[in-house]
Amino acid sequence: VNDQTSPPLVGDRQRETSKPTRLGFLLFLFVAFAICTNPVAYVTGLPLSFAPFFYVLAARRWGFYQGLIAAIILTLPTVLWWDMGWFVGAAVCKYLFTQLCRRRGLLAAEAFAIFQLLIAPLFIVLCLWRFQASFSMLMLYALQYSLGEILLAAMADIASLNFTLMRPPPYISIKPSRSIDLIFRAMINFLIAFVLTLSVANQAMITANVARNERARMRAPVTAQVTAQVHAGHSSGRVQWENAKVYYDVSAADFTARAQRALGPECAWPLPLESDNAAGRYGTWIGRCETSVYEAADTKPILIAIVYGDVDEQHPVIGGHLLLLLVGGALALGYRLSLSRSLLSTIATCNDFIDRFGTLNLPMPPPLPIREVDRPLRAFVERNNIYAAAIDDRDRLMKAVVDLKRSVDLVLMGQIRFDERSGILSFNELRITMPPRPRQLQVHASDAASFLAMKDSDEAAIEFRTADGEDFQSRIITLHQHSSTMCWESGIMVKLSQPRRLRELMVQQARLVDLGGMASAISHEIKQPLFTIAVAAESMQLMLGKGRTPLADEQMAMRIARISEQVDRARQIIERISHYGRSDITQSTEVHVADVVRDAVSFLVAMLDDRRITVSVDIAAETDSILISRIALEQVIVNAIQNAADSVVARREAGWSGEGQIIVEVSAAGQKTRCAIKDNGIGLPPGMAESAFNAFFTTKTSHNGSGLGLFISRQIIVEAGGSIRLRPGKQHGAILEIDLPWHLPKI
Amino acid sequence: VIGASDLNRGSTQTDAYGGDKSAAPTILVVDDITELVEELVEMLSLTDIPALGASTLAEAIAELERAETIRVVICDVRLTRESGLEIIGRVKAHPVLSQRLLQYVFITGDPLQSDMLDADFDGLVLAKPVQPRALIECLQKILSETGERV
């Protein structure tokens, strides 16, 4: 059975060389948090966090929950910047939405774009509810914020490509150094796009405001030089904002009036504006635009946008240039995204085929997004199919060999040696998947000469039997590569089972042996009618000599009738014998065991009488018919009764003088007919019950039995699907039990 | 079961052939095959040797007790579940019969083992199938010899 397990075709596919660990995640979170405590850039007063980049990355690398934890922790600093906790909630929603979209095959950047499109109106509405602010300015905020987030997500997409590519052989993979290089390039690429996009967005806002002609409306009160006192949380000092222009959504007079009402009559420009934005940051020169909140006493806080004068003047030119750059950047971004999508899809297909390596009849791959990979992948599939077919052939061949081994006990051998003194054939049994096993066979003494005759032959084929004499089986061994006297390097051994025809002949022969054994009883039986006939004939002659009378005629007629009656009797005896000796009735028919038992007993009754043994037949119940050759079953029962009689005689020879008794019982056992032949003979020697069924087994003296009786009986019964066993009787003798399954009509 | 009286009916019928009605039987035929007993009794009657038949040893002893004139016992060696040879022992053991002078003729289908008979056995053993005429001659000889002795 062990020979059937084939060696694994490919290495362990599941082994990962770089496994995401919990410690790795904690380290990642620590570094990411440090980065996220600072805004990546000021977007017209709105500081942007790096958090989306990190939490998308965490989800890709460590999984859903780690991504969620990262989303919450990394967006916490924005609460300090914006004083708005709902940004954390928004980030969690966005994260969940991204994960949902990922299942549908969307990139994080695409998911972010959809989410921002849905959430931006809400953002604007919330701001308008909280502040007095310009609608166009809020639109700009939303736009800037959304673009920034999408860009960060796209960066995470590119970076996470590396996780897809970091797989152990044989999958398509890249080296860690190459992976870092790719991340670096992607970040530079996107930083440029990021800065560019934000600048464009700022410019768009200014342009929008100008277009609304607010500039004209605002110009008069704010063209004065403005000096703002800045008290920022983490930087302090005085910053002179020269030529800055302040835009706000209320009229200057109204604003001043409100400011004076709130701060006192001395309050006038420059206003003490509170700003989170510190000058000198790169956000200041990217945007050239500041945002501040003026807390008025009796009204909502006012959101003020301050735009530097030079930007204001230059905006049409810068806007034109930036627009061109924006188009270029958008194209580059689109190309980059489509490239990563193609790459991912191609790699996934390739890895899928690598996964199915060794599968029989792999289908040809569909055309891949990256066409250059098509040819190598198709070549891979073709070769895989050839290889898998070969492996399949090998497996089938192995199975055939295993089957063959089982049926003819085929043994592939190595290091064969025959020891002429002990008659032991020793060799290593070669097995398909396991190491060779040393084995020994005791060769039958009469066959050892065959080995001796071939002791120096380079190649030899020898038929031999083993000493334990298993029935009629012999073995053929072919020996190759003679190494020294009686030693060969390799060989094959098969067990030869006995051909069916031979078995049939043997069964027939055994019946004839039975007949021979009963010759004396038969001859005695047939002499009786012959003697009666002779006497009757003599009487008739005497009658003829005495002359005819009517009474004499009647007597004559009686004699004639008697002669014919005795001839009939003799004929019956002869028929019974010739029937038993027939060889042509071998096909199975439906028979009732009880009928066969009666026939067998009537066949043997003369012999049994002769030996002064009584036989009784006990048919316990009506049983169904069984499918068997009638003559063969009769042979089994005749043999069983003969053995029983022999056993009784053997007991008598040992000094017993009781009455010999044989009982044949026929009963039903389940859906089987059980026939038990019991005797009160000498019984079974211990341990004989099983060996009695071996060929040439006999307890009798050589002239009295062939030793084939029970062996043949077992063959006949087993072929009919039944079973036969021998066991000791309760007090004396033995019981032979035969079970035969009923022949039930098919429904 | 055919009793001795049934078997011996034949001997009365032999009178039709002119046999001696009052003739006392001198032969006892013992065989388990009743047809054969009938035929033998019939044949012997035809040769003027009045005979009786029995199919078992017990019947044979009963007949011997009844018919005191019997001088020869023809017995099959192989009877149903008993050996014909045992009749010698039974007769010897019998208080009355043991006093009688009886001659035995055994008929057998098997080669007889020498150790099956006592050393002082002086009867005849005939192998089956016995020639009926030879049997008759043999009986006539015995009867005449024993007759002289008697």
Side-chain angles (χ1 to χ4, degrees), chain A residues 520-521 523-525 527-528 530-543 546-547 549 551-556 558-559 562 565-566 569 606-607 609-610 612-614 659, chain B residues 13-19 31-36 38-48 76 78-83 86 107-110 128-133 135-136:
Chain A
S520 148
S523 119
H524 179 258
E525 206 182 355
K527 278 171 189 168
Q528 294 285 6
L530 279 181
F531 188 34
T532 311
I533 290 166
V535 173
E538 182 64 28
S539 296
M540 281 165 73
Q541 271 197 347
L542 291 169
M543 285 174 190
K546 294 208 171 189
T549 62
L551 189 59
D553 281 356
E554 194 192 322
Q555 288 286 325
M556 204 73 133
M558 268 180 68
R559 299 283 86 73
R562 173 138 297 160
E565 182 189 290
Q566 291 302 308
R569 190 177 153 194
M607 182 270 283
D609 274 351
D610 190 21
R612 289 183 296 121
I613 297 168
T614 54
E659 189 178 350
Chain B
Q13 287 171 344
T14 55
D15 294 351
Y17 296 96
D31 199 312
D32 55 339
I33 313 282
T34 51
E35 292 92 335
L36 182 61
E38 275 176 35
E39 288 305 322
L40 279 171
V41 168
E42 182 69 39
M43 184 185 75
L44 292 174
S45 303
L46 287 168
T47 49
D48 299 322
D76 189 11
R78 195 188 294 204
L79 299 174
T80 308
R81 309 237 196 112
E82 50 195 0
S83 166
E86 285 174 22
I107 298 176
T108 176
D110 310 312
K128 274 188 193 173
V130 182
Q131 284 295 323
R133 200 157 294 250
L135 178 65
I136 291 164

Side-chain angles (χ1 to χ4, degrees), chain A residues 2-11 357-358 387 391 394-395 398 431-434:
Chain A
N2 288 326
D3 290 353
Q4 282 175 310
T5 55
S6 56
L9 301 178
V10 290
F357 173 70
Y387 169 77
I391 291 293
R394 187 195 73 172
D395 287 350
M398 265 165 65
R431 295 175 297 175
I432 293 171
T433 54
M434 286 180 289

Side-chain angles (χ1 to χ4, degrees), chain A residues 13-31:
Chain A
R13 291 176 180 141
Q14 303 306 317
R15 199 165 50 85
E16 291 275 347
T17 48
S18 59
K19 239 179 172 177
T21 59
R22 190 171 292 177
L23 183 69
F25 174 65
L26 289 176
L27 275 172
F28 171 85
L29 202 62
F30 179 75
V31 173

Side-chain angles (χ1 to χ4, degrees), chain B residues 30-100:
Chain B
V30 187
D31 199 312
D32 55 339
I33 313 282
T34 51
E35 292 92 335
L36 182 61
V37 174
E38 275 176 35
E39 288 305 322
L40 279 171
V41 168
E42 182 69 39
M43 184 185 75
L44 292 174
S45 303
L46 287 168
T47 49
D48 299 322
I49 304 173
L52 287 175
S55 58
T56 62
L57 290 182
E59 277 177 23
I61 297 296
E63 287 295 324
L64 284 173
E65 285 170 352
R66 199 152 54 89
E68 290 175 1
T69 52
I70 290 173
R71 281 147 53 197
V72 181
V73 177
I74 304 173
C75 185
D76 189 11
V77 171
R78 195 188 294 204
L79 299 174
T80 308
R81 309 237 196 112
E82 50 195 0
S83 166
L85 300 176
E86 285 174 22
I87 196 164
I88 302 176
R90 291 214 192 178
V91 168
K92 275 185 182 167
H94 196 281
V96 181
L97 297 182
S98 58
Q99 305 304 314
R100 278 175 46 186

